[in-house]
């Protein structure tokens, strides 16, 4: 099957269903099933059994268990921070500092906040957005500008500084290729992820210079945020920043320890799992010390946070199973051989970037996009001699571009809500910036490919 065009059917089917039904979960289930249907010569019942076995086999890997657990616990951490009033306390503390005295400083506030909180994209979006709404109103800056600034910092910084669920997820997708230094590959993607870097540069330029272009220049939205079950409790600011700082610190320390003094050689899944546990323990200790929640509420909100993460984690598990299935089917090897014959080497990264962008745009999610394209990008890199980091970064950047451009992306929707901006105005005003950064990225990828 490795030399057969039929090996292309599972990812193509998964992409088609994801685009058609806007459902990454269903797409991945169908993709896994078709992999085994092909390998089992169209035997339906044995293919169903093997599909279930492939999904359960994801948990045979301790690294996968760490990653899944980390992703679930992130939900508990974020929910406890919200319900305890830690986020409100952090926002109140920022307002009391009175750091914002001009429109430039007002624009810089959400930009810096969006860059600083990279452990969870939604937490970053809500914190930066809610902390800046009234400031933007006071300085007569549109909510559309606020939505653009938080959306163009929170997601890109999360895919660059991968001490979060995205980093753990990508590490899981790289698992199984017998890389000696998977953490090093992950770190290496930072320098090749030109789209994410450009998105951040454009956001900071816009915030600092005050210059805006396209529809954003004429935006005047100023819509009050209206959230159900609005939390009015206010906790000390340290209840938020101390656990987040500990998450970053513990991750780096554990990477150093597990790598015998070399962070690049450390176990990423092991490190992020124990770091999130330590962070939650610190958060619960602070909640207890300041009597923000009782034990019953801590348990209840932790459970609710974990429950909220179940859809994303289900996609995560199926992504691992699908990646293993198409690796076994030889899809990546076949595509690699095909592209080496049909496509110039300098066009491989641009093609992967465009494919990831189109898929993420159509589906509204990067996770399913990464699951399908990273297992294809890695064999292409290994077969062509291109740096693995380069092609993986093209997929990661393309996914973020698709998220930025898509009206159905979860980060786009959350950015609109957190800033109090009309959703479609946010999409319309951000799109020119996303397209410009994508065009420059493609040019850079072609030029770099030519040097190889």
């Amino acid at each position: 099957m490795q030399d057969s065009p039929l090996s292309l059917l599972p990812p193509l089917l998964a992409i088609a269903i994801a685009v058609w039904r806007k459902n990454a979960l269903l797409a991945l289930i169908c993709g896994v099933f078709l992999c085994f249907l092909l390998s089992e010569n169209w035997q339906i019942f044995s293919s169903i059994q093997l599909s279930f076995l492939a999904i359960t086999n994801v948990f045979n890997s301790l690294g996968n268990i760490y990653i899944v657990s980390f992703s679930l616990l992130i939900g508990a951490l974020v929910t406890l921070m919200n319900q305890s009033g830690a986020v409100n306390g952090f926002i109140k503390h920022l307002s009391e500092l009175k750091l914002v005295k001009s429109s430039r400083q007002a624009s810089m506030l959400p930009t810096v906040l969006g860059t600083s909180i990279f452990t969870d994209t939604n937490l970053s979006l809500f914190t930066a957005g809610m902390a800046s709404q009234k400031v933007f109103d006071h300085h007569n800056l549109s909510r559309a500008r606020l939505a653009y600034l938080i959306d163009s910092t929170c997601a890109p910084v999360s895919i660059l500084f991968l001490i979060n669920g995205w980093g753990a997820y990508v590490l899981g997708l790289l698992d199984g290729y017998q890389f000696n230094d998977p953490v090093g590959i992950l770190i290496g993607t930072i320098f090749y992820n030109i789209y994410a870097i450009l998105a951040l540069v454009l956001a900071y330029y816009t915030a600092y210079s005050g210059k805006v272009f396209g529809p954003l220049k004429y935006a005047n939205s100023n819509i009050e945020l209206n959230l159900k079950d609005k939390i009015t409790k206010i906790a000390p600011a340290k209840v938020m920043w101390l656990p987040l700082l500990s998450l970053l610190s513990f991750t780096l320390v554990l990477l150093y320890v597990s790598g015998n003094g070399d962070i690049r050689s450390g176990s990423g899944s092991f490190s992020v799992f124990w770091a999130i546990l330590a962070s939650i323990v610190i958060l619960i200790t602070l909640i207890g010390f300041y009597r923000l929640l009782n034990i019953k509420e801590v348990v209840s909100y932790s459970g609710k946070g974990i429950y909220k993460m179940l859809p994303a984690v289900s996609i995560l598990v199926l992504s691992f199973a699908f990646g293993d299935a198409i690796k076994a089917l030889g899809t990546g090897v076949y595509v690699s051989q095909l592209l080496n014959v049909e496509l110039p080497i300098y066009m491989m990264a641009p093609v992967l970037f465009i494919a990831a962008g189109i898929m993420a745009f159509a589906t509204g999610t990067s996770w399913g996009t990464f699951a399908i394209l990273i297992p294809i990008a890695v064999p292409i890199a290994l077969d062509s001699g291109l740096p693995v980091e380069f092609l993986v970064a093209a997929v990661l950047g393309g996914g973020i571009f698709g998220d930025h451009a898509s009206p159905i992306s979860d980060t786009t929707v959350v950015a609109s809500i957190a800033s109090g901006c009309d959703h479609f105005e946010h999409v319309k005003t951000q799109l020119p910036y996303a397209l410009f950064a994508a065009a420059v990225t493609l040019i850079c990828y072609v030029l770099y490919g030519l040097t190889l």
Side-chain angles (χ1 to χ4, degrees):
M1 190 65 69
Q2 290 197 359
D3 295 324
S4 170
L6 290 176
S7 65
L8 294 174
L9 287 179
L12 290 176
L13 176 70
I15 292 170
I17 292 175
V19 172
W20 173 45
R21 302 299 300 175
K22 307 293 188 292
N23 189 326
L25 203 62
L26 177 63
L28 290 168
I29 289 172
C30 293
V32 170
F33 174 68
L34 184 55
C35 282
F36 289 104
L37 196 62
L38 290 171
S39 64
E40 291 296 301
N41 294 316
W42 308 98
Q43 298 297 312
I44 294 177
F45 293 108
S46 62
S47 300
I48 293 173
Q49 291 176 336
L50 288 172
S51 297
F52 279 113
L53 185 62
I55 294 170
T56 57
N57 282 344
V58 169
F59 298 97
N60 289 342
S61 165
L62 182 60
N64 286 348
I65 293 173
Y66 280 145
I67 291 166
V68 170
S69 301
F70 170 83
S71 301
L72 290 170
L73 290 172
I74 276 287
L77 181 77
V78 172
T79 303
L80 285 173
M81 282 183 174
N82 278 313
Q83 296 296 333
S84 66
V87 174
N88 285 344
F90 183 73
I91 292 169
K92 182 174 180 290
H93 179 67
L94 286 175
S95 64
E96 289 173 347
L97 291 176
K98 296 181 180 179
L99 298 174
V100 177
K101 298 176 182 177
S102 66
S103 59
R104 173 180 291 176
Q105 291 172 340
S107 291
M108 290 299 294
L109 175 63
T111 313
V112 172
L113 282 177
T115 309
S116 303
I117 307 169
F118 49 81
T119 49
D120 180 80
T121 306
N122 287 343
L123 175 65
S124 178
L125 287 166
F126 273 118
T127 303
M130 290 188 292
S132 307
Q133 283 186 45
K134 297 301 181 184
V135 173
F136 266 57
D137 294 346
H138 178 72
H139 290 278
N140 200 29
L141 298 171
S142 72
R143 295 288 182 88
R145 186 184 303 206
L146 174 58
Y148 160 69
L149 290 174
I150 62 175
D151 203 357
S152 290
T153 51
C154 296
V157 80
S158 293
I159 206 66
L160 289 172
F161 297 94
L162 288 154
I163 304 176
N164 48 43
W166 285 13
Y169 176 53
V170 176
L171 269 178
L173 293 176
L174 293 174
D175 190 31
Y177 288 102
Q178 308 303 319
F179 290 125
N180 294 325
D181 187 14
V183 175
I185 290 174
L186 197 64
I187 294 171
T189 63
I190 296 172
F191 308 103
Y192 292 111
N193 200 337
I194 297 173
Y195 177 82
I197 294 170
L198 281 176
L200 283 173
V201 169
L202 283 172
Y204 269 92
Y205 170 77
T206 301
Y208 185 80
S209 69
K211 294 180 180 178
V212 289
F213 306 96
L216 188 57
K217 190 173 184 178
Y218 307 102
N220 57 7
S221 61
N222 185 9
I223 302 169
E224 289 297 320
L225 185 64
N226 184 21
L227 292 174
K228 294 181 180 179
D229 304 322
K230 191 173 181 180
I231 301 161
T232 56
K233 187 179 295 184
I234 297 176
K238 68 176 70 173
V239 180
M240 178 173 164
W241 63 256
L242 193 57
L244 290 180
L245 188 61
S246 69
L247 177 59
L248 172 62
S249 303
F250 276 112
T251 301
L252 293 175
V253 169
L254 290 170
L255 280 171
Y256 180 83
V257 172
S258 61
N260 295 318
D262 183 2
I263 287 178
R264 292 169 59 94
S265 301
S267 171
S269 56
F270 167 85
S271 302
V272 295
F273 171 73
W274 289 107
I276 190 69
L277 274 184
S279 183
I280 288 176
V281 168
I282 291 171
L283 175 60
I284 293 174
T285 302
L286 290 169
I287 287 172
F289 180 79
Y290 290 105
R291 298 181 181 180
L292 302 170
L293 300 170
N294 58 42
I295 294 175
K296 184 178 178 181
E297 287 173 325
V298 168
V299 173
S300 174
Y301 288 133
S302 297
K304 287 178 180 178
I306 290 172
Y307 180 76
K308 286 178 183 177
M309 290 300 296
L310 285 178
V313 171
S314 298
I315 293 174
L316 174 68
V317 172
L318 284 168
S319 298
F320 291 162
F322 183 68
D324 291 338
I326 65 172
K327 271 186 279 184
L329 196 64
T331 304
V333 175
Y334 177 76
V335 172
S336 171
Q337 294 170 347
L338 187 67
L339 290 181
N340 278 336
V341 174
E342 302 293 338
L343 198 67
I345 194 169
Y346 63 85
M347 286 302 297
M348 289 181 181
V351 166
L352 285 170
F353 178 86
I354 292 169
I358 291 173
M359 187 177 173
F361 175 85
T363 62
T365 175
S366 299
W367 286 48
T369 302
F370 299 160
I372 293 170
L373 292 180
I374 286 179
I376 291 175
V378 172
I380 292 174
L382 296 175
D383 196 42
S384 65
L386 288 169
V388 174
E389 300 90 337
F390 179 41
L391 295 192
V392 171
V395 173
L396 299 180
I400 298 301
F401 162 61
D403 264 357
H404 276 167
S406 176
I408 60 172
S409 163
D410 55 347
T411 53
T412 307
V413 172
V414 172
S416 302
I417 295 171
S419 59
C421 174
D422 177 76
H423 175 60
F424 286 100
E425 183 173 27
H426 169 46
V427 174
K428 178 181 69 176
T429 52
Q430 178 167 258
L431 188 58
Y433 290 87
L435 290 172
F436 174 77
V440 175
T441 299
L442 288 173
I443 293 170
C444 291
Y445 282 161
V446 170
L447 292 175
Y448 180 71
L450 287 170
T451 65
L452 298 174

